[in-house]
Amino acid sequence: GNSVTQMEGPVTLSEEAFLTINCTYTATGYPSLFWYVQYPGEGLQLLLKATKADDKGSNKGFEATYRKETTSFHLEKGSVQVSDSAVYFCALRPGSARQLTFGSGTQLTVLP
Amino acid sequence: DTAVSQTPKYLVTQMGNDKSIKCEQNLGHDTMYWYKQDSKKFLKIMFSYNNKELIINETVPNRFSPKSPDKAHLNLHINSLELGDSAVYFCASSRDRDRDNSPLHFGNGTRLTVT
């Protein structure tokens, strides 16, 4: 089956620290991979995506590279801000499936 | 303009009641979804409709019944509410023809509390 495994949170960092949130997946075929962010009290927003191996998705200083050999899509940011505090979800969409399969989410808190 | 809108934002009700959540999208998307997010933030697909046709129906109690009057609307009706139904319910939509990499657009959620 299809599944996504994310590093467990919560993660607490100081402002300007380096962020890594690990994500690995299991899927049939060649899925598209996504990172979504959920700010408090809001719905999920697409942060970035990658649709094939070695693609790098990037947005708002966040990056993730689709690594087929390690079935990973780790999220990174070089210098986090307080406003990055949110829950981050890794997700995949395998082949022609319509729905996304989500990881369990990682709560990030950035302290000033 | 709100792309995917859900109402109500909050819903507090007693066990045994019947309630509905409405969802509308103005993105022209073909496919709509209902996801349930539990207290640990875990998201699970419940239903999906494509052009008013049910295409995904996960293992969800029969008390939950989705209805799609047209491709811009997907409502969720819940009968005989139970304590375990308390969660945040998210509606989402996507464009079907770019299925492989088309992201889902989410509403802001409906927080259901059953007392």
Side-chain angles (χ1 to χ4, degrees), chain A residues 10-68:
Chain A
V11 174
T12 302
L13 296 173
S14 298
E15 208 165 20
E16 299 183 4
F18 184 86
L19 169 71
T20 299
I21 300 178
N22 289 339
C23 171
T24 57
Y25 67 89
T26 303
T28 53
Y30 301 98
S32 294
L33 301 173
F34 304 83
W35 275 100
Y36 279 80
V37 59
Q38 184 180 24
Y39 298 104
E42 298 184 12
L44 279 75
Q45 303 173 26
L46 178 67
L47 182 59
L48 53 86
K49 68 181 184 183
T51 59
K52 60 183 187 297
D54 300 325
D55 268 2
K56 178 187 280 188
S58 60
N59 185 26
K60 299 181 182 179
F62 291 89
E63 292 184 341
T65 301
Y66 189 141
R67 301 283 186 204
K68 183 167 172 286

Short mmCIF file of all heavy atoms in Angstrom, two decimals, chain A residues 10-68:
data_model
loop_
_atom_site.label_atom_id
_atom_site.label_comp_id
_atom_site.label_asym_id
_atom_site.label_seq_id
_atom_site.Cartn_x
_atom_site.Cartn_y
_atom_site.Cartn_z
N PRO A 10 6.80 17.28 18.61
CA PRO A 10 6.99 18.60 18.00
C PRO A 10 8.47 18.98 17.86
O PRO A 10 9.31 18.44 18.56
CB PRO A 10 6.28 19.52 18.99
CG PRO A 10 6.37 18.81 20.29
CD PRO A 10 6.33 17.34 19.98
N VAL A 11 8.71 19.88 16.95
CA VAL A 11 10.05 20.40 16.73
C VAL A 11 10.06 21.86 17.18
O VAL A 11 9.20 22.64 16.76
CB VAL A 11 10.45 20.31 15.24
CG1 VAL A 11 11.79 21.00 14.99
CG2 VAL A 11 10.49 18.86 14.79
N THR A 12 10.99 22.21 18.02
CA THR A 12 11.12 23.58 18.51
C THR A 12 12.50 24.11 18.15
O THR A 12 13.51 23.47 18.49
CB THR A 12 10.91 23.67 20.02
OG1 THR A 12 9.61 23.14 20.35
CG2 THR A 12 10.97 25.12 20.49
N LEU A 13 12.53 25.24 17.46
CA LEU A 13 13.79 25.85 17.02
C LEU A 13 13.82 27.32 17.38
O LEU A 13 12.76 27.95 17.54
CB LEU A 13 13.94 25.71 15.50
CG LEU A 13 14.06 24.30 14.92
CD1 LEU A 13 14.02 24.35 13.40
CD2 LEU A 13 15.32 23.63 15.40
N SER A 14 14.99 27.85 17.45
CA SER A 14 15.16 29.30 17.60
C SER A 14 15.15 29.94 16.22
O SER A 14 15.50 29.30 15.21
CB SER A 14 16.47 29.62 18.31
OG SER A 14 16.47 29.09 19.62
N GLU A 15 14.75 31.18 16.19
CA GLU A 15 14.73 31.92 14.93
C GLU A 15 16.11 31.87 14.28
O GLU A 15 17.13 31.92 14.96
CB GLU A 15 14.33 33.37 15.18
CG GLU A 15 13.63 34.03 14.02
CD GLU A 15 12.93 35.33 14.43
OE1 GLU A 15 13.26 35.90 15.48
OE2 GLU A 15 12.02 35.73 13.69
N GLU A 16 16.11 31.73 12.97
CA GLU A 16 17.31 31.65 12.13
C GLU A 16 18.00 30.30 12.17
O GLU A 16 19.04 30.12 11.53
CB GLU A 16 18.30 32.78 12.45
CG GLU A 16 17.70 34.17 12.21
CD GLU A 16 18.70 35.28 12.46
OE1 GLU A 16 19.88 34.98 12.75
OE2 GLU A 16 18.30 36.45 12.36
N ALA A 17 17.46 29.35 12.88
CA ALA A 17 18.05 28.00 12.89
C ALA A 17 17.73 27.29 11.59
O ALA A 17 16.83 27.67 10.83
CB ALA A 17 17.50 27.20 14.07
N PHE A 18 18.48 26.21 11.33
CA PHE A 18 18.27 25.38 10.15
C PHE A 18 17.21 24.32 10.46
O PHE A 18 17.22 23.71 11.52
CB PHE A 18 19.58 24.70 9.75
CG PHE A 18 19.48 23.89 8.49
CD1 PHE A 18 19.66 24.51 7.25
CD2 PHE A 18 19.21 22.53 8.52
CE1 PHE A 18 19.55 23.77 6.07
CE2 PHE A 18 19.11 21.80 7.35
CZ PHE A 18 19.28 22.42 6.12
N LEU A 19 16.32 24.12 9.50
CA LEU A 19 15.22 23.17 9.69
C LEU A 19 15.35 22.01 8.74
O LEU A 19 15.60 22.19 7.54
CB LEU A 19 13.88 23.87 9.43
CG LEU A 19 12.65 22.94 9.32
CD1 LEU A 19 12.30 22.37 10.68
CD2 LEU A 19 11.47 23.68 8.71
N THR A 20 15.17 20.80 9.29
CA THR A 20 14.95 19.61 8.46
C THR A 20 13.79 18.83 9.04
O THR A 20 13.78 18.56 10.25
CB THR A 20 16.18 18.69 8.44
OG1 THR A 20 17.30 19.39 7.89
CG2 THR A 20 15.91 17.45 7.59
N ILE A 21 12.83 18.50 8.21
CA ILE A 21 11.76 17.59 8.61
C ILE A 21 11.83 16.40 7.65
O ILE A 21 11.66 16.55 6.44
CB ILE A 21 10.37 18.24 8.54
CG1 ILE A 21 10.30 19.45 9.45
CG2 ILE A 21 9.30 17.22 8.93
CD1 ILE A 21 8.97 20.19 9.40
N ASN A 22 12.10 15.24 8.21
CA ASN A 22 12.27 14.05 7.38
C ASN A 22 10.94 13.47 6.92
O ASN A 22 9.96 13.46 7.67
CB ASN A 22 13.04 12.98 8.14
CG ASN A 22 14.50 13.35 8.32
OD1 ASN A 22 15.03 14.18 7.58
ND2 ASN A 22 15.15 12.76 9.29
N CYS A 23 10.94 12.97 5.68
CA CYS A 23 9.77 12.32 5.13
C CYS A 23 10.23 11.19 4.23
O CYS A 23 11.07 11.39 3.34
CB CYS A 23 8.94 13.31 4.32
SG CYS A 23 7.59 12.55 3.36
N THR A 24 9.72 10.00 4.46
CA THR A 24 9.97 8.87 3.57
C THR A 24 8.63 8.28 3.16
O THR A 24 7.62 8.47 3.86
CB THR A 24 10.83 7.79 4.23
OG1 THR A 24 10.18 7.35 5.42
CG2 THR A 24 12.22 8.30 4.56
N TYR A 25 8.63 7.59 2.04
CA TYR A 25 7.35 7.10 1.53
C TYR A 25 7.47 5.69 1.00
O TYR A 25 8.55 5.21 0.69
CB TYR A 25 6.83 8.04 0.43
CG TYR A 25 7.70 8.03 -0.83
CD1 TYR A 25 7.45 7.12 -1.86
CD2 TYR A 25 8.75 8.93 -0.97
CE1 TYR A 25 8.25 7.10 -2.99
CE2 TYR A 25 9.55 8.91 -2.10
CZ TYR A 25 9.30 8.00 -3.10
OH TYR A 25 10.09 7.97 -4.22
N THR A 26 6.33 5.06 0.89
CA THR A 26 6.17 3.77 0.23
C THR A 26 5.03 3.92 -0.75
O THR A 26 3.94 4.38 -0.37
CB THR A 26 5.83 2.65 1.24
OG1 THR A 26 6.84 2.59 2.24
CG2 THR A 26 5.71 1.31 0.55
N ALA A 27 5.29 3.57 -2.00
CA ALA A 27 4.24 3.73 -3.00
C ALA A 27 4.49 2.81 -4.18
O ALA A 27 5.63 2.46 -4.48
CB ALA A 27 4.18 5.19 -3.48
N THR A 28 3.41 2.47 -4.87
CA THR A 28 3.53 1.76 -6.13
C THR A 28 3.75 2.78 -7.24
O THR A 28 3.23 3.89 -7.20
CB THR A 28 2.26 0.96 -6.41
OG1 THR A 28 1.13 1.83 -6.32
CG2 THR A 28 2.08 -0.15 -5.39
N GLY A 29 4.55 2.42 -8.19
CA GLY A 29 4.78 3.32 -9.31
C GLY A 29 5.62 4.52 -8.91
O GLY A 29 6.47 4.46 -8.02
N TYR A 30 5.34 5.62 -9.57
CA TYR A 30 6.13 6.84 -9.37
C TYR A 30 5.20 7.97 -8.92
O TYR A 30 4.59 8.65 -9.73
CB TYR A 30 6.85 7.20 -10.67
CG TYR A 30 7.75 6.10 -11.14
CD1 TYR A 30 7.33 5.19 -12.11
CD2 TYR A 30 9.01 5.93 -10.57
CE1 TYR A 30 8.15 4.16 -12.53
CE2 TYR A 30 9.83 4.89 -10.98
CZ TYR A 30 9.40 4.02 -11.95
OH TYR A 30 10.21 2.99 -12.36
N PRO A 31 5.12 8.15 -7.61
CA PRO A 31 4.16 9.15 -7.12
C PRO A 31 4.66 10.57 -7.28
O PRO A 31 5.85 10.81 -7.44
CB PRO A 31 4.06 8.80 -5.63
CG PRO A 31 5.42 8.26 -5.30
CD PRO A 31 5.85 7.48 -6.53
N SER A 32 3.72 11.50 -7.23
CA SER A 32 4.07 12.90 -7.03
C SER A 32 4.13 13.14 -5.53
O SER A 32 3.40 12.52 -4.75
CB SER A 32 3.02 13.81 -7.66
OG SER A 32 3.01 13.67 -9.06
N LEU A 33 5.01 14.04 -5.12
CA LEU A 33 5.23 14.30 -3.70
C LEU A 33 4.95 15.75 -3.37
O LEU A 33 5.25 16.64 -4.20
CB LEU A 33 6.66 13.93 -3.31
CG LEU A 33 7.07 12.47 -3.57
CD1 LEU A 33 8.55 12.29 -3.31
CD2 LEU A 33 6.24 11.53 -2.72
N PHE A 34 4.41 15.99 -2.21
CA PHE A 34 3.98 17.33 -1.81
C PHE A 34 4.37 17.60 -0.35
O PHE A 34 4.43 16.68 0.46
CB PHE A 34 2.45 17.46 -1.92
CG PHE A 34 1.88 17.12 -3.27
CD1 PHE A 34 1.63 15.81 -3.63
CD2 PHE A 34 1.57 18.12 -4.18
CE1 PHE A 34 1.10 15.48 -4.87
CE2 PHE A 34 1.04 17.80 -5.43
CZ PHE A 34 0.80 16.50 -5.77
N TRP A 35 4.55 18.87 -0.06
CA TRP A 35 4.56 19.34 1.31
C TRP A 35 3.45 20.37 1.44
O TRP A 35 3.36 21.32 0.63
CB TRP A 35 5.89 19.99 1.69
CG TRP A 35 6.92 19.00 2.15
CD1 TRP A 35 7.95 18.48 1.41
CD2 TRP A 35 7.02 18.39 3.44
NE1 TRP A 35 8.67 17.59 2.16
CE2 TRP A 35 8.13 17.52 3.41
CE3 TRP A 35 6.28 18.50 4.63
CZ2 TRP A 35 8.53 16.77 4.51
CZ3 TRP A 35 6.67 17.75 5.72
CH2 TRP A 35 7.78 16.88 5.66
N TYR A 36 2.62 20.17 2.47
CA TYR A 36 1.57 21.11 2.81
C TYR A 36 1.88 21.71 4.17
O TYR A 36 2.50 21.07 5.03
CB TYR A 36 0.20 20.42 2.87
CG TYR A 36 -0.46 20.22 1.53
CD1 TYR A 36 -0.07 19.16 0.70
CD2 TYR A 36 -1.47 21.07 1.09
CE1 TYR A 36 -0.67 18.98 -0.53
CE2 TYR A 36 -2.08 20.88 -0.14
CZ TYR A 36 -1.67 19.85 -0.94
OH TYR A 36 -2.26 19.66 -2.17
N VAL A 37 1.38 22.93 4.39
CA VAL A 37 1.55 23.60 5.68
C VAL A 37 0.17 24.00 6.20
O VAL A 37 -0.70 24.42 5.42
CB VAL A 37 2.49 24.82 5.57
CG1 VAL A 37 1.98 25.84 4.57
CG2 VAL A 37 2.69 25.47 6.92
N GLN A 38 -0.01 23.81 7.50
CA GLN A 38 -1.28 24.20 8.13
C GLN A 38 -0.97 25.16 9.27
O GLN A 38 -0.39 24.78 10.30
CB GLN A 38 -2.00 22.96 8.68
CG GLN A 38 -3.36 23.26 9.27
CD GLN A 38 -4.07 22.03 9.79
OE1 GLN A 38 -3.44 21.03 10.12
NE2 GLN A 38 -5.39 22.09 9.87
N TYR A 39 -1.37 26.42 9.08
CA TYR A 39 -1.22 27.42 10.14
C TYR A 39 -2.39 27.28 11.11
O TYR A 39 -3.45 26.77 10.74
CB TYR A 39 -1.16 28.82 9.54
CG TYR A 39 0.05 29.01 8.64
CD1 TYR A 39 -0.09 29.02 7.25
CD2 TYR A 39 1.33 29.16 9.16
CE1 TYR A 39 1.00 29.17 6.42
CE2 TYR A 39 2.43 29.31 8.34
CZ TYR A 39 2.26 29.30 6.96
OH TYR A 39 3.35 29.45 6.15
N PRO A 40 -2.22 27.72 12.33
CA PRO A 40 -3.26 27.54 13.35
C PRO A 40 -4.62 28.04 12.89
O PRO A 40 -4.75 29.17 12.41
CB PRO A 40 -2.73 28.35 14.53
CG PRO A 40 -1.25 28.35 14.35
CD PRO A 40 -1.02 28.38 12.87
N GLY A 41 -5.62 27.18 13.02
CA GLY A 41 -6.99 27.56 12.69
C GLY A 41 -7.29 27.64 11.21
O GLY A 41 -8.38 28.09 10.83
N GLU A 42 -6.39 27.19 10.39
CA GLU A 42 -6.60 27.28 8.94
C GLU A 42 -6.54 25.91 8.29
O GLU A 42 -6.19 24.91 8.90
CB GLU A 42 -5.53 28.19 8.32
CG GLU A 42 -5.58 29.62 8.81
CD GLU A 42 -4.57 30.51 8.08
OE1 GLU A 42 -4.01 30.07 7.06
OE2 GLU A 42 -4.37 31.64 8.56
N GLY A 43 -6.90 25.89 7.00
CA GLY A 43 -6.78 24.68 6.22
C GLY A 43 -5.36 24.48 5.73
O GLY A 43 -4.47 25.28 6.01
N LEU A 44 -5.16 23.39 5.02
CA LEU A 44 -3.83 23.10 4.50
C LEU A 44 -3.56 23.91 3.24
O LEU A 44 -4.44 24.08 2.41
CB LEU A 44 -3.71 21.61 4.17
CG LEU A 44 -3.44 20.67 5.33
CD1 LEU A 44 -4.68 20.48 6.17
CD2 LEU A 44 -2.93 19.34 4.83
N GLN A 45 -2.31 24.35 3.12
CA GLN A 45 -1.91 25.08 1.92
C GLN A 45 -0.73 24.34 1.29
O GLN A 45 0.16 23.89 2.00
CB GLN A 45 -1.46 26.50 2.27
CG GLN A 45 -2.47 27.34 2.99
CD GLN A 45 -1.86 28.66 3.43
OE1 GLN A 45 -0.91 29.17 2.85
NE2 GLN A 45 -2.42 29.22 4.49
N LEU A 46 -0.73 24.27 -0.01
CA LEU A 46 0.40 23.66 -0.69
C LEU A 46 1.64 24.52 -0.48
O LEU A 46 1.62 25.73 -0.73
CB LEU A 46 0.10 23.53 -2.18
CG LEU A 46 1.24 22.93 -3.01
CD1 LEU A 46 1.48 21.48 -2.64
CD2 LEU A 46 0.93 23.06 -4.50
N LEU A 47 2.71 23.90 -0.04
CA LEU A 47 3.98 24.61 0.15
C LEU A 47 4.88 24.40 -1.06
O LEU A 47 5.43 25.33 -1.62
CB LEU A 47 4.66 24.13 1.43
CG LEU A 47 5.97 24.79 1.80
CD1 LEU A 47 5.81 26.29 2.00
CD2 LEU A 47 6.54 24.16 3.07
N LEU A 48 5.05 23.14 -1.46
CA LEU A 48 5.85 22.83 -2.63
C LEU A 48 5.55 21.42 -3.10
O LEU A 48 4.93 20.64 -2.37
CB LEU A 48 7.35 23.02 -2.35
CG LEU A 48 7.94 22.27 -1.14
CD1 LEU A 48 8.34 20.86 -1.51
CD2 LEU A 48 9.16 23.02 -0.60
N LYS A 49 6.01 21.12 -4.29
CA LYS A 49 5.75 19.78 -4.84
C LYS A 49 6.88 19.37 -5.77
O LYS A 49 7.67 20.21 -6.24
CB LYS A 49 4.43 19.74 -5.59
CG LYS A 49 4.43 20.56 -6.88
CD LYS A 49 3.08 20.49 -7.58
CE LYS A 49 3.15 21.24 -8.90
NZ LYS A 49 1.83 21.25 -9.59
N ALA A 50 6.96 18.06 -6.03
CA ALA A 50 7.90 17.52 -7.01
C ALA A 50 7.23 16.32 -7.65
O ALA A 50 6.58 15.52 -6.98
CB ALA A 50 9.21 17.11 -6.34
N THR A 51 7.35 16.21 -8.95
CA THR A 51 6.58 15.19 -9.65
C THR A 51 7.42 14.06 -10.21
O THR A 51 6.87 13.05 -10.66
CB THR A 51 5.78 15.82 -10.80
OG1 THR A 51 6.70 16.47 -11.70
CG2 THR A 51 4.79 16.83 -10.27
N LYS A 52 8.74 14.19 -10.20
CA LYS A 52 9.57 13.07 -10.66
C LYS A 52 10.91 13.09 -9.94
O LYS A 52 11.30 14.08 -9.32
CB LYS A 52 9.77 13.13 -12.16
CG LYS A 52 10.44 14.36 -12.70
CD LYS A 52 10.51 14.28 -14.21
CE LYS A 52 11.33 15.42 -14.79
NZ LYS A 52 10.77 16.74 -14.53
N ALA A 53 11.60 11.97 -10.06
CA ALA A 53 12.87 11.79 -9.35
C ALA A 53 13.85 12.91 -9.67
O ALA A 53 13.96 13.35 -10.81
CB ALA A 53 13.46 10.43 -9.70
N ASP A 54 14.52 13.37 -8.60
CA ASP A 54 15.55 14.41 -8.65
C ASP A 54 14.98 15.82 -8.82
O ASP A 54 15.74 16.79 -8.81
CB ASP A 54 16.59 14.15 -9.74
CG ASP A 54 17.32 12.84 -9.53
OD1 ASP A 54 17.55 12.48 -8.36
OD2 ASP A 54 17.61 12.16 -10.52
N ASP A 55 13.68 15.94 -8.96
CA ASP A 55 13.06 17.27 -8.97
C ASP A 55 13.26 17.91 -7.60
O ASP A 55 13.18 17.24 -6.58
CB ASP A 55 11.55 17.17 -9.24
CG ASP A 55 11.22 17.28 -10.70
OD1 ASP A 55 12.14 17.41 -11.53
OD2 ASP A 55 10.01 17.24 -11.02
N LYS A 56 13.45 19.21 -7.60
CA LYS A 56 13.49 19.95 -6.35
C LYS A 56 12.33 20.93 -6.34
O LYS A 56 12.21 21.76 -7.24
CB LYS A 56 14.81 20.71 -6.20
CG LYS A 56 14.88 21.55 -4.92
CD LYS A 56 16.13 22.42 -4.88
CE LYS A 56 17.33 21.63 -4.46
NZ LYS A 56 18.52 22.49 -4.23
N GLY A 57 11.50 20.82 -5.33
CA GLY A 57 10.44 21.80 -5.13
C GLY A 57 10.93 22.87 -4.18
O GLY A 57 11.69 22.59 -3.25
N SER A 58 10.52 24.12 -4.40
CA SER A 58 10.95 25.18 -3.51
C SER A 58 9.89 26.27 -3.46
O SER A 58 9.19 26.54 -4.43
CB SER A 58 12.29 25.78 -3.96
OG SER A 58 12.17 26.32 -5.26
N ASN A 59 9.81 26.92 -2.29
CA ASN A 59 8.84 27.99 -2.09
C ASN A 59 9.11 28.62 -0.74
O ASN A 59 9.34 27.91 0.26
CB ASN A 59 7.41 27.45 -2.14
CG ASN A 59 6.36 28.54 -2.06
OD1 ASN A 59 6.61 29.68 -2.43
ND2 ASN A 59 5.18 28.18 -1.62
N LYS A 60 9.10 29.94 -0.68
CA LYS A 60 9.25 30.70 0.58
C LYS A 60 10.50 30.29 1.36
O LYS A 60 10.50 30.29 2.60
CB LYS A 60 8.02 30.48 1.47
CG LYS A 60 6.71 30.95 0.86
CD LYS A 60 5.55 30.71 1.82
CE LYS A 60 4.26 31.14 1.18
NZ LYS A 60 3.09 30.90 2.07
N GLY A 61 11.54 29.91 0.68
CA GLY A 61 12.79 29.52 1.35
C GLY A 61 12.86 28.05 1.73
O GLY A 61 13.91 27.57 2.16
N PHE A 62 11.74 27.34 1.58
CA PHE A 62 11.72 25.91 1.83
C PHE A 62 12.11 25.15 0.57
O PHE A 62 11.78 25.58 -0.54
CB PHE A 62 10.33 25.46 2.27
CG PHE A 62 9.90 25.95 3.61
CD1 PHE A 62 9.25 27.17 3.76
CD2 PHE A 62 10.14 25.19 4.75
CE1 PHE A 62 8.85 27.62 5.01
CE2 PHE A 62 9.74 25.64 6.00
CZ PHE A 62 9.10 26.86 6.13
N GLU A 63 12.76 24.01 0.78
CA GLU A 63 13.14 23.16 -0.36
C GLU A 63 12.94 21.70 0.01
O GLU A 63 13.06 21.32 1.19
CB GLU A 63 14.62 23.35 -0.71
CG GLU A 63 14.99 24.69 -1.28
CD GLU A 63 16.44 24.74 -1.68
OE1 GLU A 63 17.23 23.89 -1.19
OE2 GLU A 63 16.80 25.63 -2.49
N ALA A 64 12.68 20.87 -1.01
CA ALA A 64 12.65 19.42 -0.82
C ALA A 64 13.01 18.78 -2.15
O ALA A 64 12.53 19.23 -3.20
CB ALA A 64 11.29 18.95 -0.34
N THR A 65 13.83 17.74 -2.09
CA THR A 65 14.26 17.06 -3.31
C THR A 65 13.71 15.64 -3.32
O THR A 65 13.84 14.90 -2.33
CB THR A 65 15.79 17.02 -3.41
OG1 THR A 65 16.27 18.37 -3.41
CG2 THR A 65 16.24 16.33 -4.69
N TYR A 66 13.13 15.26 -4.43
CA TYR A 66 12.55 13.93 -4.63
C TYR A 66 13.69 12.94 -4.84
O TYR A 66 14.35 12.94 -5.87
CB TYR A 66 11.67 14.01 -5.88
CG TYR A 66 10.78 12.84 -6.20
CD1 TYR A 66 9.50 13.08 -6.69
CD2 TYR A 66 11.19 11.52 -6.08
CE1 TYR A 66 8.65 12.05 -7.05
CE2 TYR A 66 10.35 10.48 -6.41
CZ TYR A 66 9.09 10.74 -6.91
OH TYR A 66 8.26 9.71 -7.27
N ARG A 67 13.94 12.08 -3.85
CA ARG A 67 15.00 11.10 -3.93
C ARG A 67 14.41 9.72 -4.07
O ARG A 67 13.93 9.13 -3.11
CB ARG A 67 15.86 11.14 -2.65
CG ARG A 67 16.50 12.48 -2.36
CD ARG A 67 17.70 12.73 -3.21
NE ARG A 67 18.40 13.95 -2.83
CZ ARG A 67 19.17 14.64 -3.65
NH1 ARG A 67 19.32 14.26 -4.91
NH2 ARG A 67 19.79 15.72 -3.21
N LYS A 68 14.46 9.21 -5.28
CA LYS A 68 13.84 7.90 -5.55
C LYS A 68 14.65 6.79 -4.89
O LYS A 68 14.09 5.81 -4.39
CB LYS A 68 13.74 7.71 -7.06
CG LYS A 68 13.07 6.44 -7.51
CD LYS A 68 12.75 6.52 -8.99
CE LYS A 68 12.24 5.20 -9.54
NZ LYS A 68 13.32 4.21 -9.67
#
